[in-house]
Amino acid sequence: MSNLRTLVFFATPAHDCSYLPDRQATTMFVDPRAEVDKRLYSQLTALGFRRSGSHYYRPHCESCNACVPVRLRVEDFHPDRSQRRVLKKNSDLTCRMVRACFTERYYELYAHYIEERHADGDMYPPSREQFTSFLVEGATDSWFIEILDGEKLVGLAAVDRLNEGLSAIYTVFDPAYEHRSLGTFAVLWQVEEARRQELPYLYLGYWIAQCRKMNYKTRFRPIEALRDGHWQVMDPH
């Protein structure tokens, strides 16, 4: 089994940044041949890495440090007024955690979400292979949170369980439920799930100040940012 001292890393050639226009990005990947267990994955996440399928990566741009890893300190979090409204608005929904897997039901929701919300992004057009390689392959202690309106699947959140927290991977929802703020609702549910499991952190991936789509992350406080190798409470202003 691999460990931090034996891992080999590779950097991609410069490519167009997915988040900031007119920027070039470089990504550092863990050698895909490495055996990454839950313990090592947890250590990598604490160092700012993310998982996409069976790949573990983090930004490694030469002249840009806009991508900031962030996590929520669960014990100290209290929903603000807007988040309490989201919880109340969705009090009629139910959630359940199931092992990450492929089903047509999950894929149809995923495809509809990508087609309606991200037709201008690099995940379009969706495919079954894309869904599987992104959300199912490489799963260690990986789960899907089904968000249900009665028997109807209206949202799906992918989450990994780490030694010291949960890692929010991706959330999709039925665009017809956009007014429900299901992205925020999914994060709030994961906060409570981390508390139930007595896990101290919820990792929320990367925050980019110039990217409006990521603004929601700083509404969860106290949010911590990884800067210069240290996690510290972040002032988003």
Side-chain angles (χ1 to χ4, degrees), residues 18-34:
S18 299
Y19 299 105
L20 300 177
D22 304 320
R23 298 275 187 99
Q24 290 287 293
T26 302
T27 305
M28 178 189 293
F29 281 94
V30 173
D31 185 345
R33 296 168 296 183

mmCIF file with all atom_site columns, all heavy atoms in Angstrom, residues 18-34:
data_model
loop_
_atom_site.group_PDB
_atom_site.id
_atom_site.type_symbol
_atom_site.label_atom_id
_atom_site.label_alt_id
_atom_site.label_comp_id
_atom_site.label_asym_id
_atom_site.label_entity_id
_atom_site.label_seq_id
_atom_site.pdbx_PDB_ins_code
_atom_site.Cartn_x
_atom_site.Cartn_y
_atom_site.Cartn_z
_atom_site.occupancy
_atom_site.B_iso_or_equiv
_atom_site.pdbx_formal_charge
_atom_site.auth_seq_id
_atom_site.auth_comp_id
_atom_site.auth_asym_id
_atom_site.auth_atom_id
_atom_site.pdbx_PDB_model_num
ATOM 1   N N   . SER A 1 18 ? -10.659 25.956 -16.262 1.00 0.00 ? 18 SER A N   1
ATOM 2   C CA  . SER A 1 18 ? -12.101 25.707 -16.309 1.00 0.00 ? 18 SER A CA  1
ATOM 3   C C   . SER A 1 18 ? -12.903 26.776 -15.597 1.00 0.00 ? 18 SER A C   1
ATOM 4   O O   . SER A 1 18 ? -14.122 26.848 -15.763 1.00 0.00 ? 18 SER A O   1
ATOM 5   C CB  . SER A 1 18 ? -12.409 24.339 -15.679 1.00 0.00 ? 18 SER A CB  1
ATOM 6   O OG  . SER A 1 18 ? -11.774 23.295 -16.366 1.00 0.00 ? 18 SER A OG  1
ATOM 7   N N   . TYR A 1 19 ? -12.240 27.624 -14.787 1.00 0.00 ? 19 TYR A N   1
ATOM 8   C CA  . TYR A 1 19 ? -12.968 28.556 -13.943 1.00 0.00 ? 19 TYR A CA  1
ATOM 9   C C   . TYR A 1 19 ? -12.726 30.022 -14.287 1.00 0.00 ? 19 TYR A C   1
ATOM 10  O O   . TYR A 1 19 ? -13.631 30.844 -14.163 1.00 0.00 ? 19 TYR A O   1
ATOM 11  C CB  . TYR A 1 19 ? -12.585 28.328 -12.473 1.00 0.00 ? 19 TYR A CB  1
ATOM 12  C CG  . TYR A 1 19 ? -12.915 26.933 -11.993 1.00 0.00 ? 19 TYR A CG  1
ATOM 13  C CD1 . TYR A 1 19 ? -11.917 25.986 -11.812 1.00 0.00 ? 19 TYR A CD1 1
ATOM 14  C CD2 . TYR A 1 19 ? -14.224 26.558 -11.732 1.00 0.00 ? 19 TYR A CD2 1
ATOM 15  C CE1 . TYR A 1 19 ? -12.212 24.705 -11.378 1.00 0.00 ? 19 TYR A CE1 1
ATOM 16  C CE2 . TYR A 1 19 ? -14.537 25.287 -11.300 1.00 0.00 ? 19 TYR A CE2 1
ATOM 17  C CZ  . TYR A 1 19 ? -13.524 24.361 -11.133 1.00 0.00 ? 19 TYR A CZ  1
ATOM 18  O OH  . TYR A 1 19 ? -13.822 23.101 -10.718 1.00 0.00 ? 19 TYR A OH  1
ATOM 19  N N   . LEU A 1 20 ? -11.516 30.346 -14.688 1.00 0.00 ? 20 LEU A N   1
ATOM 20  C CA  . LEU A 1 20 ? -11.188 31.739 -14.956 1.00 0.00 ? 20 LEU A CA  1
ATOM 21  C C   . LEU A 1 20 ? -10.818 31.914 -16.420 1.00 0.00 ? 20 LEU A C   1
ATOM 22  O O   . LEU A 1 20 ? -9.920  31.221 -16.915 1.00 0.00 ? 20 LEU A O   1
ATOM 23  C CB  . LEU A 1 20 ? -10.028 32.198 -14.063 1.00 0.00 ? 20 LEU A CB  1
ATOM 24  C CG  . LEU A 1 20 ? -10.285 32.117 -12.550 1.00 0.00 ? 20 LEU A CG  1
ATOM 25  C CD1 . LEU A 1 20 ? -9.042  32.517 -11.786 1.00 0.00 ? 20 LEU A CD1 1
ATOM 26  C CD2 . LEU A 1 20 ? -11.474 32.984 -12.153 1.00 0.00 ? 20 LEU A CD2 1
ATOM 27  N N   . PRO A 1 21 ? -11.489 32.816 -17.121 1.00 0.00 ? 21 PRO A N   1
ATOM 28  C CA  . PRO A 1 21 ? -11.194 33.010 -18.549 1.00 0.00 ? 21 PRO A CA  1
ATOM 29  C C   . PRO A 1 21 ? -9.795  33.562 -18.762 1.00 0.00 ? 21 PRO A C   1
ATOM 30  O O   . PRO A 1 21 ? -9.248  34.265 -17.910 1.00 0.00 ? 21 PRO A O   1
ATOM 31  C CB  . PRO A 1 21 ? -12.276 33.999 -19.005 1.00 0.00 ? 21 PRO A CB  1
ATOM 32  C CG  . PRO A 1 21 ? -12.674 34.721 -17.752 1.00 0.00 ? 21 PRO A CG  1
ATOM 33  C CD  . PRO A 1 21 ? -12.539 33.727 -16.643 1.00 0.00 ? 21 PRO A CD  1
ATOM 34  N N   . ASP A 1 22 ? -9.231  33.206 -19.902 1.00 0.00 ? 22 ASP A N   1
ATOM 35  C CA  . ASP A 1 22 ? -7.923  33.723 -20.297 1.00 0.00 ? 22 ASP A CA  1
ATOM 36  C C   . ASP A 1 22 ? -6.810  33.342 -19.318 1.00 0.00 ? 22 ASP A C   1
ATOM 37  O O   . ASP A 1 22 ? -5.794  34.042 -19.204 1.00 0.00 ? 22 ASP A O   1
ATOM 38  C CB  . ASP A 1 22 ? -7.961  35.258 -20.450 1.00 0.00 ? 22 ASP A CB  1
ATOM 39  C CG  . ASP A 1 22 ? -9.034  35.710 -21.424 1.00 0.00 ? 22 ASP A CG  1
ATOM 40  O OD1 . ASP A 1 22 ? -9.201  35.036 -22.454 1.00 0.00 ? 22 ASP A OD1 1
ATOM 41  O OD2 . ASP A 1 22 ? -9.714  36.704 -21.136 1.00 0.00 ? 22 ASP A OD2 1
ATOM 42  N N   . ARG A 1 23 ? -7.011  32.237 -18.605 1.00 0.00 ? 23 ARG A N   1
ATOM 43  C CA  . ARG A 1 23 ? -5.964  31.728 -17.715 1.00 0.00 ? 23 ARG A CA  1
ATOM 44  C C   . ARG A 1 23 ? -5.565  30.325 -18.157 1.00 0.00 ? 23 ARG A C   1
ATOM 45  O O   . ARG A 1 23 ? -6.378  29.561 -18.667 1.00 0.00 ? 23 ARG A O   1
ATOM 46  C CB  . ARG A 1 23 ? -6.467  31.654 -16.266 1.00 0.00 ? 23 ARG A CB  1
ATOM 47  C CG  . ARG A 1 23 ? -6.860  32.972 -15.640 1.00 0.00 ? 23 ARG A CG  1
ATOM 48  C CD  . ARG A 1 23 ? -5.673  33.712 -15.051 1.00 0.00 ? 23 ARG A CD  1
ATOM 49  N NE  . ARG A 1 23 ? -6.128  34.899 -14.321 1.00 0.00 ? 23 ARG A NE  1
ATOM 50  C CZ  . ARG A 1 23 ? -6.275  34.943 -13.005 1.00 0.00 ? 23 ARG A CZ  1
ATOM 51  N NH1 . ARG A 1 23 ? -5.999  33.887 -12.263 1.00 0.00 ? 23 ARG A NH1 1
ATOM 52  N NH2 . ARG A 1 23 ? -6.693  36.058 -12.419 1.00 0.00 ? 23 ARG A NH2 1
ATOM 53  N N   . GLN A 1 24 ? -4.307  30.002 -17.923 1.00 0.00 ? 24 GLN A N   1
ATOM 54  C CA  . GLN A 1 24 ? -3.801  28.657 -18.156 1.00 0.00 ? 24 GLN A CA  1
ATOM 55  C C   . GLN A 1 24 ? -3.646  27.960 -16.803 1.00 0.00 ? 24 GLN A C   1
ATOM 56  O O   . GLN A 1 24 ? -3.262  28.590 -15.812 1.00 0.00 ? 24 GLN A O   1
ATOM 57  C CB  . GLN A 1 24 ? -2.458  28.698 -18.884 1.00 0.00 ? 24 GLN A CB  1
ATOM 58  C CG  . GLN A 1 24 ? -2.566  29.158 -20.329 1.00 0.00 ? 24 GLN A CG  1
ATOM 59  C CD  . GLN A 1 24 ? -3.184  28.084 -21.213 1.00 0.00 ? 24 GLN A CD  1
ATOM 60  O OE1 . GLN A 1 24 ? -2.593  27.029 -21.440 1.00 0.00 ? 24 GLN A OE1 1
ATOM 61  N NE2 . GLN A 1 24 ? -4.374  28.353 -21.727 1.00 0.00 ? 24 GLN A NE2 1
ATOM 62  N N   . ALA A 1 25 ? -3.940  26.672 -16.767 1.00 0.00 ? 25 ALA A N   1
ATOM 63  C CA  . ALA A 1 25 ? -3.897  25.913 -15.518 1.00 0.00 ? 25 ALA A CA  1
ATOM 64  C C   . ALA A 1 25 ? -3.013  24.684 -15.684 1.00 0.00 ? 25 ALA A C   1
ATOM 65  O O   . ALA A 1 25 ? -2.868  24.139 -16.775 1.00 0.00 ? 25 ALA A O   1
ATOM 66  C CB  . ALA A 1 25 ? -5.305  25.499 -15.104 1.00 0.00 ? 25 ALA A CB  1
ATOM 67  N N   . THR A 1 26 ? -2.430  24.265 -14.576 1.00 0.00 ? 26 THR A N   1
ATOM 68  C CA  . THR A 1 26 ? -1.682  23.013 -14.511 1.00 0.00 ? 26 THR A CA  1
ATOM 69  C C   . THR A 1 26 ? -2.195  22.231 -13.316 1.00 0.00 ? 26 THR A C   1
ATOM 70  O O   . THR A 1 26 ? -2.446  22.812 -12.250 1.00 0.00 ? 26 THR A O   1
ATOM 71  C CB  . THR A 1 26 ? -0.170  23.277 -14.350 1.00 0.00 ? 26 THR A CB  1
ATOM 72  O OG1 . THR A 1 26 ? 0.292   24.070 -15.436 1.00 0.00 ? 26 THR A OG1 1
ATOM 73  C CG2 . THR A 1 26 ? 0.607   21.967 -14.318 1.00 0.00 ? 26 THR A CG2 1
ATOM 74  N N   . THR A 1 27 ? -2.373  20.939 -13.483 1.00 0.00 ? 27 THR A N   1
ATOM 75  C CA  . THR A 1 27 ? -2.922  20.097 -12.427 1.00 0.00 ? 27 THR A CA  1
ATOM 76  C C   . THR A 1 27 ? -1.902  19.037 -12.024 1.00 0.00 ? 27 THR A C   1
ATOM 77  O O   . THR A 1 27 ? -1.265  18.425 -12.888 1.00 0.00 ? 27 THR A O   1
ATOM 78  C CB  . THR A 1 27 ? -4.208  19.406 -12.897 1.00 0.00 ? 27 THR A CB  1
ATOM 79  O OG1 . THR A 1 27 ? -5.129  20.401 -13.361 1.00 0.00 ? 27 THR A OG1 1
ATOM 80  C CG2 . THR A 1 27 ? -4.850  18.625 -11.762 1.00 0.00 ? 27 THR A CG2 1
ATOM 81  N N   . MET A 1 28 ? -1.748  18.836 -10.722 1.00 0.00 ? 28 MET A N   1
ATOM 82  C CA  . MET A 1 28 ? -0.887  17.788 -10.199 1.00 0.00 ? 28 MET A CA  1
ATOM 83  C C   . MET A 1 28 ? -1.733  16.565 -9.866  1.00 0.00 ? 28 MET A C   1
ATOM 84  O O   . MET A 1 28 ? -2.755  16.683 -9.171  1.00 0.00 ? 28 MET A O   1
ATOM 85  C CB  . MET A 1 28 ? -0.148  18.255 -8.944  1.00 0.00 ? 28 MET A CB  1
ATOM 86  C CG  . MET A 1 28 ? 0.737   17.187 -8.311  1.00 0.00 ? 28 MET A CG  1
ATOM 87  S SD  . MET A 1 28 ? 1.390   17.696 -6.707  1.00 0.00 ? 28 MET A SD  1
ATOM 88  C CE  . MET A 1 28 ? 2.471   19.040 -7.191  1.00 0.00 ? 28 MET A CE  1
ATOM 89  N N   . PHE A 1 29 ? -1.336  15.401 -10.370 1.00 0.00 ? 29 PHE A N   1
ATOM 90  C CA  . PHE A 1 29 ? -2.051  14.151 -10.124 1.00 0.00 ? 29 PHE A CA  1
ATOM 91  C C   . PHE A 1 29 ? -1.170  13.170 -9.361  1.00 0.00 ? 29 PHE A C   1
ATOM 92  O O   . PHE A 1 29 ? 0.044   13.095 -9.598  1.00 0.00 ? 29 PHE A O   1
ATOM 93  C CB  . PHE A 1 29 ? -2.461  13.495 -11.445 1.00 0.00 ? 29 PHE A CB  1
ATOM 94  C CG  . PHE A 1 29 ? -3.683  14.090 -12.082 1.00 0.00 ? 29 PHE A CG  1
ATOM 95  C CD1 . PHE A 1 29 ? -3.569  15.075 -13.042 1.00 0.00 ? 29 PHE A CD1 1
ATOM 96  C CD2 . PHE A 1 29 ? -4.946  13.655 -11.710 1.00 0.00 ? 29 PHE A CD2 1
ATOM 97  C CE1 . PHE A 1 29 ? -4.688  15.629 -13.636 1.00 0.00 ? 29 PHE A CE1 1
ATOM 98  C CE2 . PHE A 1 29 ? -6.075  14.201 -12.298 1.00 0.00 ? 29 PHE A CE2 1
ATOM 99  C CZ  . PHE A 1 29 ? -5.954  15.188 -13.259 1.00 0.00 ? 29 PHE A CZ  1
ATOM 100 N N   . VAL A 1 30 ? -1.799  12.412 -8.472  1.00 0.00 ? 30 VAL A N   1
ATOM 101 C CA  . VAL A 1 30 ? -1.133  11.259 -7.884  1.00 0.00 ? 30 VAL A CA  1
ATOM 102 C C   . VAL A 1 30 ? -1.001  10.185 -8.965  1.00 0.00 ? 30 VAL A C   1
ATOM 103 O O   . VAL A 1 30 ? -1.912  9.994  -9.777  1.00 0.00 ? 30 VAL A O   1
ATOM 104 C CB  . VAL A 1 30 ? -1.949  10.714 -6.691  1.00 0.00 ? 30 VAL A CB  1
ATOM 105 C CG1 . VAL A 1 30 ? -1.362  9.405  -6.172  1.00 0.00 ? 30 VAL A CG1 1
ATOM 106 C CG2 . VAL A 1 30 ? -2.010  11.757 -5.575  1.00 0.00 ? 30 VAL A CG2 1
ATOM 107 N N   . ASP A 1 31 ? 0.139   9.514  -8.987  1.00 0.00 ? 31 ASP A N   1
ATOM 108 C CA  . ASP A 1 31 ? 0.350   8.418  -9.932  1.00 0.00 ? 31 ASP A CA  1
ATOM 109 C C   . ASP A 1 31 ? -0.854  7.478  -9.890  1.00 0.00 ? 31 ASP A C   1
ATOM 110 O O   . ASP A 1 31 ? -1.170  6.928  -8.831  1.00 0.00 ? 31 ASP A O   1
ATOM 111 C CB  . ASP A 1 31 ? 1.623   7.653  -9.541  1.00 0.00 ? 31 ASP A CB  1
ATOM 112 C CG  . ASP A 1 31 ? 1.993   6.561  -10.529 1.00 0.00 ? 31 ASP A CG  1
ATOM 113 O OD1 . ASP A 1 31 ? 1.148   6.181  -11.364 1.00 0.00 ? 31 ASP A OD1 1
ATOM 114 O OD2 . ASP A 1 31 ? 3.136   6.067  -10.452 1.00 0.00 ? 31 ASP A OD2 1
ATOM 115 N N   . PRO A 1 32 ? -1.564  7.307  -11.013 1.00 0.00 ? 32 PRO A N   1
ATOM 116 C CA  . PRO A 1 32 ? -2.769  6.456  -11.003 1.00 0.00 ? 32 PRO A CA  1
ATOM 117 C C   . PRO A 1 32 ? -2.488  4.991  -10.663 1.00 0.00 ? 32 PRO A C   1
ATOM 118 O O   . PRO A 1 32 ? -3.421  4.246  -10.356 1.00 0.00 ? 32 PRO A O   1
ATOM 119 C CB  . PRO A 1 32 ? -3.320  6.605  -12.426 1.00 0.00 ? 32 PRO A CB  1
ATOM 120 C CG  . PRO A 1 32 ? -2.181  7.093  -13.243 1.00 0.00 ? 32 PRO A CG  1
ATOM 121 C CD  . PRO A 1 32 ? -1.319  7.910  -12.325 1.00 0.00 ? 32 PRO A CD  1
ATOM 122 N N   . ARG A 1 33 ? -1.230  4.587  -10.694 1.00 0.00 ? 33 ARG A N   1
ATOM 123 C CA  . ARG A 1 33 ? -0.896  3.210  -10.324 1.00 0.00 ? 33 ARG A CA  1
ATOM 124 C C   . ARG A 1 33 ? -0.780  3.027  -8.815  1.00 0.00 ? 33 ARG A C   1
ATOM 125 O O   . ARG A 1 33 ? -0.690  1.893  -8.330  1.00 0.00 ? 33 ARG A O   1
ATOM 126 C CB  . ARG A 1 33 ? 0.421   2.789  -10.996 1.00 0.00 ? 33 ARG A CB  1
ATOM 127 C CG  . ARG A 1 33 ? 0.362   2.752  -12.523 1.00 0.00 ? 33 ARG A CG  1
ATOM 128 C CD  . ARG A 1 33 ? 1.735   2.622  -13.124 1.00 0.00 ? 33 ARG A CD  1
ATOM 129 N NE  . ARG A 1 33 ? 2.556   3.796  -12.825 1.00 0.00 ? 33 ARG A NE  1
ATOM 130 C CZ  . ARG A 1 33 ? 3.787   3.978  -13.271 1.00 0.00 ? 33 ARG A CZ  1
ATOM 131 N NH1 . ARG A 1 33 ? 4.352   3.059  -14.038 1.00 0.00 ? 33 ARG A NH1 1
ATOM 132 N NH2 . ARG A 1 33 ? 4.469   5.073  -12.956 1.00 0.00 ? 33 ARG A NH2 1
ATOM 133 N N   . ALA A 1 34 ? -0.778  4.128  -8.067  1.00 0.00 ? 34 ALA A N   1
ATOM 134 C CA  . ALA A 1 34 ? -0.641  4.050  -6.611  1.00 0.00 ? 34 ALA A CA  1
ATOM 135 C C   . ALA A 1 34 ? -1.897  3.438  -5.992  1.00 0.00 ? 34 ALA A C   1
ATOM 136 O O   . ALA A 1 34 ? -3.015  3.654  -6.478  1.00 0.00 ? 34 ALA A O   1
ATOM 137 C CB  . ALA A 1 34 ? -0.392  5.433  -6.034  1.00 0.00 ? 34 ALA A CB  1
#
